[in-house]
Each structure stands twice: as structure tokens, then as C-alpha cells.
Amino acid sequence: MTIAITHTRREGTLIEGTSRGDGSAEILRLREYGRTRRQPFRWSRNLDCWYLPHSRDHATYTPSLELLAQRLRDAGFEVTLTIDNADRRSFSEAEQDREEKAEARAERFAGYADTAARASEAAWKASHEISERFAFGQPILIGHHSEGRARRDHARMDNAMRKSISESDRAEHWTGRAQAAANYERFKRDPGRTLRRLGKLRADLRAVEKWQRGESAKGFSRNPSDLELEIEHQELTEEIEHWEAVIKDAEARGFKDWSKADFTRGDFVLYRGTWYEVLRVNAKSVTIPHIHNGTGKRIVRATGNRHDGWTWTAPYDDVSGRKNADEMQPPQDAASEQQEQAEQPMPTEEPVPAEKPTSVAAPAAGANWQGGMALVLITSKNSRRSRKRALWAMTRREAQAVCGDPRTSGRSYMLTWTDRPGVEGVDWEWVPDNGSLDPVVSDLGVTPRREWTAAAQAPAEAA
């Protein structure tokens, strides 16, 4: 029996010629292969052979495959080893294949989530039907002929409820996986991420070009005649061209690629929903007052802050807008009105006679603040998402009630609210509402909305 070990960039590392029970599986499952020498091979039903995960579109680590071939030979197998790192597919072809697989995963995971949700609902209904027999608190009658049936009903009810909870957790898991797969293309093509990716790719390309010239890069040197350098150069060039085209498409839709030429000291930059005065212009970022000064503020100037002297750097790929100093000045009529009010003498308050106490009404400003709009966000524990995820828009009073309800938090998520979420599509985004919290908003008498209008409001305050 001959086992064929082949590796190409186009197909990855594949093992063909094995059969069930021939003893090769024990060798292939060892976590000692791949570029990290910590990977096992896995069986693929689609390929009908063993494969090495994450080996596609990469050069192989030849000593690892030679070690595998030697182990198989020692076990009595005849082995052939073929390595062709030059056989590869273009980056655009590979990226299209990854996007198609992400769409297929999203559809498959959504099916899993739907099945689990229906199973959870069926188990809950079964448990509820059994529990109706004990609706009036009927206890188990010890020694009665109904005791055995009652105990069995309690056990069935408990098992059904546990299954309902388990299936609900599975539905939540697969819903998250489906959402992540559906967002693959959008996240990969996010302009900010793409710009950061391009910076790294261009640095890698400069390093390869230095190695080809016989120079040192990244702290070491490589053989200029190594054919692998030419392949890496081609791959990096194709990938850079692909993502540059993505940036051009984004610019055609209105995205602005900010740079050092767009700013001067004294300008204002929109960074994560707040305007900051530019203290210094750098090659890849602008220096601004520390972001701790921006809590509850729409505009942060160079002085007059709580943490004057503290600074922060805002990279250009995370900038959302720019205004000059004149554009950030308040309107002239508003400034003159404030000056007139400051020049007017303060009215003298006469003391209220003790025999005529007066009642103090609640300030209208407080009522207006409670009636302002807020955005309810869902946050996951240990999440690394750069954008906030919004569920509903409602008044601040309603948001406080919803987020304060214990039913709106779980083991891995919780609801919070804010009235200064930032820029939609940059700082936050809408996420699907699966309806699991509809009973909560219904009990609280809240009618949530799924639209947000950025309007001037009171200072930010988040739960």
C-alpha cells in the first residue's frame, strides 16, 4: 500500500492512499506537524483524504513532512512525498473562495440555530403542559396510588426544561456563528481595517525586496537566490493590489482616506464620536488631548480639561472627520447672546415668609433629559469588537428601565445604553433582533425603534 503525501499552495497538504484501521491514523493525529509543529492532520469527508488545516496558500515546512514520511515508513508503509510550492492560485481567486465558503457557513449555521430554537420551544411546551397538572400547587401524596406517576411527571418536566435551556444555548451559539460568517466580507472590506492591513502588507513587501537585494530586514537576512522570495513577492503584490482596489471602491462611495496633508495644528478631528483639537500632526496619526477628557463632551479643546497635559494619538485610519478652528467656533449670535446674559445683573431673590411655605416643582430640564433619545446596546463579555452593537432606540427613561431589568442580562451578555453612540457604521452598527427580549419590553410598556437620528442632546451619560 502506497501513501502519497503532496503539498501545493493551491490545494494545501493532503495525505491519500490510507484506509480505515491500517494504523496510519494514530501517526497522522499526532500534534507535531505543520509550520508550528503543533498541528495534527484531520480527515475530510468532502476531500475523502487527510489534510493539514491552514496549509493552503502557504509554503510548507518541509522537515515536518519528511518526519511524517519517515514515521509512516517505519510503520511499514510505502510513502511518496511531493512538494511544489510554486503551484498556487491568485489572491483574488483565494479571497473569492473564502467569501463563498463564509456564505455557505452562514446558511448552514443559521439552519442549525433554527433547528435548536424549534427544539427548545418544543421542550419548553412539553414541560409547560406537564406543569399544568400541578398549577394549583398539588403536592406529591406519599403512599397514594398517584405517587409514582407524580414523581415521573416531575422528572419528565425537569428533563424537558433542562433540554429547553440547553437547546436555547445551542441556538444562541449557532446564531452567533452564523452572524460572524455573514459578516466576513463586510469586516474584511471595512476601510479602517483595510488601511491597517495595507500598512502591514507594504512593510512585508519592503522586507522581501531588501532580502532580494541581499540586505537585512526584520533583524535577519535570507538567501537572495531563494525561489520562495519571488513567490512571496508575487503574493504580496497581488494582495496589495486587491485591497487597494477595495479602498478605491470605498472612496467612490464617500470614504475619506485621511493623511498628514489633511491636518494642521489647531484643527479639530472627529475621533470615535468626539471632536478633539489637534495638538500635533504626525506621519501616521494626530496627537490630541487624552480621551479621558472626552467623557460626556462633544468637543474637547487643548486647554480647560480635567487632564490637561495628558495626550493621545488618533491614527488616520480611525479618523471620521475634520473641521478647522473657525468651523468649531459657536455662532456669532449665540456668542453675543451669552455675553449679554453675562452682563445683566443677577436678580435679587426676596425671602419667602415663613408662614407661607411654597412647594418646589421638579425642574423641567430633568424631565426633558429623561425624555431624550438613547441607544440600547448589547455587549458580550470578553468581546473584542471595535464597534458597538445596537438593538433599539428609545427614550432615556425607557432605556434605564430595560437595562435595569434582570431579564436583559445573561451569562455571556448584558444590555447597556448611551445617548452619545458616535457615528453609525463607524462607532456602532445595528444588529438583528431575534425577538428573545420581546416579553421584557412588552411587560415594561416600551415600544423600541430601529432607527437613530443624530441630534444635539444633553451631555453623554451611559449606564
Side-chain angles (χ1 to χ4, degrees):
M1 180 182 300
T2 301
I3 296 179
I5 304 175
T6 60
H7 174 83
T8 62
R9 270 183 163 87
R10 181 180 298 275
E11 301 295 338
T13 304
L14 305 178
I15 310 294
E16 299 175 305
T18 63
S19 59
R20 183 184 294 272
D22 63 359
S24 60
E26 290 75 10
I27 300 175
L28 294 170
R29 289 197 182 104
L30 295 175
R31 295 180 174 272
E32 300 177 2
Y33 308 112
R35 298 188 304 276
T36 62
R37 306 199 68 173
R38 295 180 180 179
Q39 293 178 272
F41 281 82
R42 294 180 182 176
W43 175 262
S44 171
R45 290 179 294 179
N46 294 330
L47 300 175
D48 195 29
C49 66
W50 294 86
Y51 74 100
L52 185 65
H54 311 297
S55 61
R56 203 174 184 186
D57 301 315
H58 295 283
T60 187
Y61 181 61
T62 304
S64 174
L65 296 186
E66 292 176 346
L67 173 64
L68 171 62
Q70 186 59 45
R71 285 177 175 174
L72 291 173
R73 292 188 183 104
D74 294 341
F77 296 97
E78 183 178 348
V79 180
T80 61
L81 176 60
T82 306
I83 298 176
D84 185 5
N85 286 317
D87 184 9
R88 66 182 189 89
R89 54 182 180 172
S90 66
F91 180 80
S92 297
E93 179 184 356
E95 188 65 16
Q96 182 179 0
D97 180 62
R98 286 189 282 266
E99 291 175 0
E100 292 174 354
K101 287 184 177 180
E103 292 178 2
R105 285 198 304 272
E107 183 177 356
R108 185 169 68 253
F109 294 160
Y112 295 163
D114 182 63
T115 300
R118 284 190 275 105
S120 175
E121 181 70 15
W124 180 86
K125 288 182 178 179
S127 176
H128 183 68
E129 290 174 358
I130 299 172
S131 68
E132 287 184 345
R133 302 175 190 171
F134 310 95
F136 298 101
Q138 174 66 38
I140 297 177
L141 302 177
I142 306 299
H144 193 264
H145 66 83
S146 63
E147 178 185 358
R149 180 182 178 185
R151 293 191 182 278
R152 289 192 297 272
D153 285 344
H154 276 76
R156 290 168 55 204
M157 184 170 57
D158 180 74
N159 292 336
M161 185 56 68
R162 291 180 183 276
K163 180 179 179 181
S164 175
I165 295 173
S166 175
E167 292 296 330
S168 177
D169 290 343
R170 289 184 64 247
E172 183 179 353
H173 166 77
W174 288 117
T175 299
R177 292 285 301 275
Q179 185 65 36
N183 289 337
Y184 173 84
E185 182 179 0
R186 182 167 59 87
F187 286 158
K188 286 295 288 288
R189 292 177 177 269
D190 177 75
R193 290 184 176 89
T194 302
L195 289 174
R196 290 190 288 274
R197 187 183 301 115
L198 277 171
K200 180 181 180 302
L201 292 172
R202 287 165 179 157
D204 292 341
L205 181 61
R206 289 193 297 270
V208 170
E209 291 174 346
K210 285 185 177 181
W211 286 326
Q212 289 179 320
R213 295 194 299 265
E215 302 174 5
S216 175
K218 296 185 177 182
F220 61 95
S221 301
R222 294 176 61 177
N223 185 2
S225 60
D226 187 358
L227 296 179
E228 184 65 24
L229 287 176
E230 182 61 31
I231 297 176
E232 291 180 10
H233 191 281
Q234 295 174 2
E235 290 179 332
L236 289 170
T237 302
E238 290 178 0
E239 189 169 358
I240 289 172
E241 292 175 352
H242 176 86
W243 295 122
E244 285 178 344
V246 170
I247 291 296
K248 289 182 179 179
D249 292 340
E251 289 177 339
R253 295 192 302 268
F255 172 75
K256 169 64 176 176
D257 184 8
W258 301 99
S259 65
K260 180 178 180 179
D262 297 313
F263 295 93
T264 59
R265 182 176 179 179
D267 288 344
F268 284 80
V269 59
L270 182 59
Y271 176 65
R272 299 184 180 180
T274 303
W275 289 96
Y276 295 89
E277 186 172 349
V278 176
L279 305 179
R280 186 169 58 252
V281 180
N282 312 310
K284 296 183 179 181
S285 64
V286 289
T287 302
I288 59 176
H290 201 280
I291 58 174
H292 287 175
N293 296 314
T295 304
K297 294 183 179 180
R298 188 177 68 89
I299 302 174
V300 179
R301 301 186 184 275
T303 57
N305 303 306
R306 181 179 180 182
H307 302 290
D308 276 346
W310 295 15
T311 60
W312 190 265
T313 55
Y316 294 124
D317 53 47
D318 209 6
V319 167
S320 305
R322 170 201 170 274
K323 288 185 179 181
N324 57 40
D326 295 335
E327 293 174 319
M328 297 303 293
Q329 294 297 329
Q332 186 63 29
D333 54 351
S336 59
E337 181 180 353
Q338 293 176 1
Q339 184 177 1
E340 291 177 0
Q341 292 178 357
E343 293 176 353
Q344 292 179 358
M346 295 295 294
T348 303
E349 296 183 0
E350 297 182 359
V352 180
E355 65 274 13
K356 294 182 180 180
T358 58
S359 60
V360 180
N368 292 337
W369 187 88
Q370 288 285 342
M373 295 305 298
L375 204 62
V376 176
L377 311 171
I378 180 171
T379 60
S380 301
K381 298 177 181 177
N382 301 322
S383 175
R384 298 183 179 179
R385 298 177 183 270
S386 61
R387 293 183 183 175
K388 303 181 185 72
R389 298 181 295 164
L391 274 178
W392 308 302
M394 57 184 67
T395 65
R396 295 188 183 94
R397 182 184 293 105
E398 294 172 339
Q400 288 177 332
V402 170
C403 296
D405 194 292
R407 293 173 292 176
T408 60
S409 62
R411 292 181 300 178
S412 60
Y413 76 96
M414 64 182 295
L415 295 188
T416 61
W417 67 271
T418 178
D419 55 4
R420 291 293 180 189
V423 181
E424 182 178 357
V426 178
D427 302 299
W428 65 274
E429 60 190 353
W430 291 109
V431 295
D433 179 8
N434 59 13
S436 60
L437 298 177
D438 288 348
V440 180
V441 296
S442 178
D443 293 346
L444 296 175
V446 176
T447 304
R449 301 188 308 175
R450 294 281 293 178
E451 58 181 7
W452 174 261
T453 302
Q457 300 178 10
E461 189 167 321

